[in-house]
Amino acid sequence: MKDEPEDVPEVEVEYGNNRNGEMLHNSSNKRSRTTSDCWDHFTKITVLGIKKAKCIHCGAELTAGSGTSHLNRHVRSCLSRTQQKDQVDDCLEKKEVTKDDGTCGVALQSFDPIVASHKLATLIVKHELPLRFVEYDAFKDLMSYCNPLAKNMCRSTLKIEIFKLYNSEKAKTMKLLENNDSRVAITTDLWTTSNQKKGYMVVTGHFIDNSWHLQSRILRFINVPAPHTVECLSQVLVKCLWDWNVDKKLSTITLDSCTTNEAMVDRVKGMIPTESMVLNGKFFHMRCAAHILNLIVKDGLKVIEGGIGKIRESVSYWSSSPKRLKTFEMTAHQLQIVCERKLVLDCPTRWNSTFDMLDVAVMYKNVFSRLRHCESHYKCLPSDKEWELAEKMLDYLRPFYSLTDVFSGTAYPTAIMFFPVICKMRKSLMEWQMSPIPEVKLMAGGMIEKFLKYWQEIHMVLVMAVILDPRFKMLMIEFYFPKIYAVGVAEQIKRVRDLCEEIFNYYEVTSTTLTCGAVAESSLAVGHSLKGQRQLGFLNWAAFEAFASQNTKLTKSQSELERYLEEPLVERTADFDVLTWWKMNKDRYPVLAEIAKDILAIPVTTVASKSAFSVEGRSLSPHRSRLHPDTLEAIMCTQHWLWAANRGAIPEEEIFTGEELNDDEDNGPQILN
């Protein structure tokens, strides 16, 4: 069955917002439309100046304009339509149902066009299919074969269905946040598209739900008009928090470290009452650990900046064209070097991409040397000393490279991993200062200077997280501080204890979950954080466990915090899940469990927000450059909510990049206030 565009009335759709921010639409016809249901089975035609109605099933032509009773009779008696309906009924899915008497039976599941439209919109959004997918001839043929009575859908109708799906999923997500009794940690990031030249802010909420599962939800993917001033960004962010009713249950906000973000946080704290924040917003601002690590390592790499520049130019030269790349591969083959990894050009602002570039380039240093004698235009070959320094720097920085994966996790609490990892990094930098290689000592000096700039700001806010891990508690602090501080160790440890008591006293006063529950029978807990445990494999656990066994004390104590800290550590196993442990022991430590629910949900990086832009591309396809910002937001948010509802993160191949969608769209529905 094919569409007859000339017979389909044109419909205008008006969009707007209700008070809850939901997209509303009303339809109005440009010309009057015949309202009888029989016209679903007829098309209007004109034969020799006489208006007739042609049956879309059998092709019969009947008079039109003198009522519809005869048309309805024809629909009921049309043999072709009856045969098509029988074919559909034969293909209906058999579905098991439970009868009133409790027995099981089999019933036919009828075709519901509303459900079909919903599922089609879900398919398009969840798997990033282009909107014009529904207009492909092959797709129409498939749908006609599966159900001859199914109507074809156009892009305009699909967009309406997508916004219906968006509103539905948004209501579910808002209900989830409303019913959750823990605080919400916010991450946000800003992105300017290369094609649209438009700025977008993504706001992501992180929390631990009432079943003790770590959750994250994109709240908004907002088009922010230029200029992106502090006032503009802070107003957009606060409005988002107000719309989602999370302004009074915030824990922290994690941002990249820059002066604009710092000023924005100060302005946000002025617009939202700090009385609703933990300790009046004392630890409200979190700096992205991955961004700080990037700043620290980039500062250290300035020592070999000249050599890195030559390697970058070499990689750029030999990967700039297929011909040069082929020459490079042939030379490697002549030198019996297997090209297992391809040359990769770095992004100078991201040190981990520079690490990848160097790691691949040093494998082919002999190839670059050979090509210098074969290509007269190639004049940026690094010297032997520069290659040697690059290799040594890779060895020193390789543990730091693995830290990026630790900080970038979203399926497990990264807060508990932050402190031991950052302490290990500090200890490594101190060891580098004793290196016999002058360049390494110089690099360590620059990195330590940058490290100390952020150390006091970043370690205290998350030190509570490692204490809330029953495998570490205060012993992790007492183990690492003597290795980091030459003097004043006791004062630093006392500072941490005072912080714990300050946070505990705040929650004890404001807690609504104080009970005299029974003591949990088991201290063991296993769960889904195995990947997070493996990421910390490079830490010296044997030394810590020996220290813990010698310093564990058992004394009588009264407060919940003291009782928790002085009890023996839980055995450290590969499948231990800290969230499951707190779920099992929440009645034993009601106040601490409430603290754990808030603090362990804090992400140490903005990776969750950056992934919405796609770390690899972070750009919309030129074919998609006219996509309306509201439609883009509906697709982005709905896709994330659908995957999250299935209790799984978005697979890497499913992360929206904007590259797969090839639709042009001048105007779109408005869903923003």
Side-chain angles (χ1 to χ4, degrees), residues 34 44 85 123 133 178 191 218 254 358 377:
T34 311
K44 288 184 177 181
K85 188 175 185 304
L123 170 69
F133 178 83
E178 180 183 349
W191 166 54
I218 291 181
T254 304
L358 297 177
H377 296 288

Side-chain angles (χ1 to χ4, degrees), residues 63-74:
T63 58
S66 58
T68 58
S69 299
H70 63 299
L71 300 181
N72 284 316
R73 286 195 297 272
H74 177 81

Side-chain angles (χ1 to χ4, degrees), residues 76-127:
R76 291 191 294 269
S77 62
C78 180
L79 182 60
S80 298
R81 176 180 176 274
T82 304
Q83 291 175 347
Q84 288 180 348
K85 188 175 185 304
D86 292 341
Q87 293 174 3
V88 173
D89 291 340
D90 292 339
C91 298
L92 287 178
E93 177 184 356
K94 291 184 178 180
K95 182 179 180 180
E96 289 188 3
V97 295
T98 302
K99 299 179 180 179
D100 295 336
D101 58 1
T103 60
C104 294
V106 178
L108 291 178
Q109 181 177 348
S110 60
F111 175 79
D112 189 335
I114 298 178
V115 175
S117 298
H118 174 84
K119 290 185 176 296
L120 180 56
T122 302
L123 170 69
I124 298 296
V125 170
K126 197 171 183 180
H127 299 287

